[in-house]
Amino acid sequence: MSSRTLPLLFINLGGEMLYILDQRLRAQNIPADKAKKVMNDIITTMFNKKFLEELFKPQELYSKKALRTVFDRLAHASIMRLNQASMDKLYDLMTMAFKYQVLLCPRPKDILLVSFNHMDAIKDFVKDTPSILSQVDETYQQLIEMYTPLCNGEFQLIRQTLLIFFQDMHIRVSIFLKDKVQNSNGRFGLPTSGPVPHGTQVPGLIRIFSCTGEEKTRLQFNNGGNYTSAIREGSFEIFGDRVTKLGTNMYSVSRPVETHMSGTSKSSTQHTKVNTAPNPLAKEELNMLARLMGGLEVQKAGSSDTAFRVNLFATDEEEEEALITRPDELSYGIINIQATKVNKNTLLLLSCMAII
Amino acid sequence: MFHKEKSIQIKNSASALYNNLSVLRIAPRRLTYFTVVHANVVNMVSASWDGLNYSHRQLQSKEPNVATSTSLIMQAAFCVLPSRELLVVTSQKGIQMYESDGSIMVYWHALDTPETPTAQAVFARGIAAVSENYVCVGVSSGAILVFDIPSKGSNITLSEVLEEHKESITDIAAECSGSQECVANLVTVDDGGSLCVWKSGEEFQLLNKIAGLDISCSSVKLWKGTVVAGYGSGQIRIYEAVTGILQSEINAHARWIYSLDIAPFSGLLLSAAEDSFVRVWHLSVTPETNSVEVAHLHNECVTDTQICGAKFCDGDGYAFAVTGYDLSEIIRYTQT
């Protein structure tokens, strides 16, 4: 579908990941300097110039497996370690959060405002580090250049592409359940009240015109909801009030991050049946991107006294339990990079980058 | 006015695509076919009228060769011509045409897809049967492909390419298939909200072009010389086809409209949007006086669902069916 979806998917998922990791680092009382190092390392890797160049090229979305592997690498770009169960949970939270934001955007174009909310928060994380800050600023420019000229129909195509990616995912997230934005069956609540999107009128009016263009008749009808007029539009510039709260940080130290595995709806099993043969194209791109990220100058977790583990669960026992009880249909099946075939084009590309 | 009936379960959930439900009524066999698109698969259900028998079939999008990535389907629609009925499936790679029961693929047309992806996506979207023997399909470039369909067999040919739209085609609608004479019998709409009105023939003739207001038109219907168009702003606008005169403007929905349908014998109009509402209206057209009357009749709210398809199941509008994003069922309503 849209070949311009990947940058938005990556930046928004990355943003959610940073919110969650930031909350866990503080909840686990990780020393401030170590926590800052982790956040800086991950953000540096996320906004690596070469990596973003590849990301912004027109292309189809990666498969779920391929994207998960990219985020696995990203999460381990620093001295922080995550066990399999914690990584699974982190990814579940990231994806459900962004699915929620995409679904609830009043207009397809608002996905860009959601992206800017994430970018604004990322900028705030690195405001004391000029080198990373400039990478982030450059990315704002790229986003503005690429997306602001698009018409709303093209944004809707991007939104539809994202919704296909998130199809049938109904993992229940504690914070969403508590706030009543998600039902106990894992589906998000879509309110039929509140302000209409910018550019839309409150439903209820029928106007009939004469052939000379004059209004002949006005009729009202009951719209069945409780709508109000549109509020002001958010800013699409580098700085500005985005107006929407979608994409802002909903976690804090006192609001823990939990998911519920049991009773996940049947539709997730139906979805895996539809997945056809592995996508060879995605594997090639994955190879290249994963090596790009792996080849960067990042502190390897060699020194055992600086490396530490972060747990997405309340206790180690819970984390172990989660790994054992995770339903099969929800396993992400990380691609083993060594085992995949590398075709002629990828070999050429990798040798140009002097990585192999 | 309408009450909910037993839903039909489908094998996969519906994807968020415009006009994502097609219905074909087969009176002689007391059956109705439904099609719903999920990513790269078309789910077909054949439902017997007595509600006792349901059979399912899945059609996959065609991959030109193994090395290419999966082709997502944009739309599946039944095309009813006087001599035969086809199921047309449009995707990122091309257009597939099947016999209406989905049993045999009778035609494949490949789109020109570039080697490496371009910023402008490539896909086909917008399907309609026109007049006696044509099927028109829209393309992301704005072109309309006109296919000549023989009364039977697979000797389908591309007869003409209409290049008038500058933005991606979103929907196509026709009326007067059969012996009836119509001045305008085809309307095509695009992402910029532009509408083109045509007369079919050996060479299709452009009768009118109504410029868009930069608001995408996602669904369109043509009935009694009147264009009914649904927009991303939630508005429905009604135009006289040949002159392009705006006859009515309805602030119909609070979100993007995904589907419109008209029951031709009664003038009932169905609209469905991301706002979870399906609305039923009554439309009456008096061609002699060029006037139109619109009345709102009924609302149905499909809780917590962004609706992507809504169609009447019969020409009188006695029953209609609805699909929604992430829903694995076809919800049905009948008149009380």
Side-chain angles (χ1 to χ4, degrees), chain B residues 79-85 129-134 151 176-179:
Chain B
C79 289
V80 179
L81 292 166
S83 53
R84 69 196 292 190
E85 288 150 352
V130 187
S131 183
E132 312 257 319
N133 57 321
Y134 298 109
S151 55
C176 304
S177 71
S179 50

Side-chain angles (χ1 to χ4, degrees), chain A residues 178-233:
Chain A
K178 284 206 186 86
D179 287 348
K180 301 221 189 304
V181 299
Q182 192 179 27
N183 301 325
S184 54
N185 61 7
R187 289 165 189 275
F188 292 115
L190 300 179
T192 54
S193 58
V196 290
H198 200 263
T200 294
Q201 303 296 321
V202 174
L205 184 63
I206 303 171
R207 300 168 76 195
I208 312 276
F209 301 100
S210 70
C211 45
T212 54
E214 284 159 30
E215 190 185 287
K216 260 190 345 191
T217 325
R218 243 176 198 241
L219 299 164
Q220 295 279 356
F221 69 91
N222 178 14
N223 63 31
N226 192 7
Y227 300 107
T228 53
S229 301
I231 52 178
R232 72 194 188 288
E233 197 181 16

Side-chain angles (χ1 to χ4, degrees), chain B residues 45-76:
Chain B
V45 184
S46 160
S48 62
W49 289 3
D50 58 14
L52 296 176
N53 290 306
Y54 296 100
S55 70
H56 300 259
R57 174 175 248 146
Q58 287 188 317
L59 302 173
Q60 296 251 348
S61 64
K62 183 172 153 73
E63 319 298 336
N65 54 68
V66 182
T68 54
S69 55
T70 317
S71 173
L72 292 172
I73 297 174
M74 304 300 291
Q75 195 179 1

Side-chain angles (χ1 to χ4, degrees), chain B residues 77-256:
Chain B
F78 289 107
C79 289
V80 179
L81 292 166
S83 53
R84 69 196 292 190
E85 288 150 352
L86 294 173
L87 172 62
V88 179
V89 177
T90 56
S91 67
Q92 292 177 277
K93 293 290 188 297
I95 299 154
Q96 292 155 265
M97 297 194 192
Y98 293 84
E99 294 296 357
S100 62
D101 63 358
S103 57
I104 315 164
M105 185 165 84
V106 295
Y107 183 68
W108 159 251
H109 174 94
L111 292 176
D112 286 324
T113 28
E115 270 276 321
T116 46
T118 50
Q120 162 78 41
V122 176
F123 54 84
R125 178 175 61 187
I127 303 167
V130 187
S131 183
E132 312 257 319
N133 57 321
Y134 298 109
V135 163
C136 290
V137 178
V139 184
S140 47
S141 61
I144 309 281
L145 306 178
V146 181
F147 294 95
D148 197 308
I149 316 286
S151 55
K152 56 174 181 261
S154 53
N155 189 20
I156 294 168
T157 53
L158 177 64
S159 135
E160 211 184 335
V161 179
L162 309 173
E163 274 162 348
E164 196 59 46
H165 289 274
K166 304 280 177 290
E167 316 259 9
S168 297
I169 302 299
T170 42
D171 197 14
I172 302 181
E175 76 162 334
C176 304
S177 71
S179 50
Q180 239 186 315
E181 255 306 306
C182 277
V183 180
N185 59 353
L186 178 71
V187 62
T188 55
V189 296
D190 69 26
D191 253 345
S194 296
L195 294 99
C196 287
V197 179
W198 312 80
K199 180 176 168 58
S200 67
E202 283 258 332
E203 266 181 36
F204 276 55
Q205 205 191 330
L206 177 70
L207 297 179
N208 198 356
K209 186 169 183 177
I210 304 169
L213 302 165
D214 250 356
I215 305 170
S216 179
C217 176
S218 40
S219 197
V220 74
K221 281 278 164 297
L222 183 60
W223 184 64
K224 291 191 172 176
T226 303
V227 172
V228 183
Y231 292 84
S233 59
Q235 256 193 0
I236 295 174
R237 309 180 112 222
I238 301 179
Y239 296 92
E240 197 198 3
V242 176
T243 60
I245 293 173
L246 177 67
Q247 296 173 306
S248 177
E249 197 178 82
I250 311 170
N251 294 338
H253 287 274
R255 294 283 189 280
W256 203 287

Side-chain angles (χ1 to χ4, degrees), chain A residues 1 3 99 159 163 167-168, chain B residues 13-14 92 118 306 325-326:
Chain A
M1 300 243 292
S3 55
K99 178 175 183 174
R159 184 171 175 278
L163 288 177
Q167 191 126 12
D168 302 320
Chain B
S13 56
Q92 292 177 277
T118 50
Q306 298 198 341
Y325 170 65
D326 255 357

Side-chain angles (χ1 to χ4, degrees), chain A residues 6-15 46 51-52 55 70-71 74:
Chain A
L6 191 57
L8 293 179
L9 183 60
F10 181 76
I11 287 170
N12 285 291
L13 286 180
M46 240 181 101
F51 176 66
L52 285 180
L55 200 73
V70 171
F71 278 102
L74 189 61

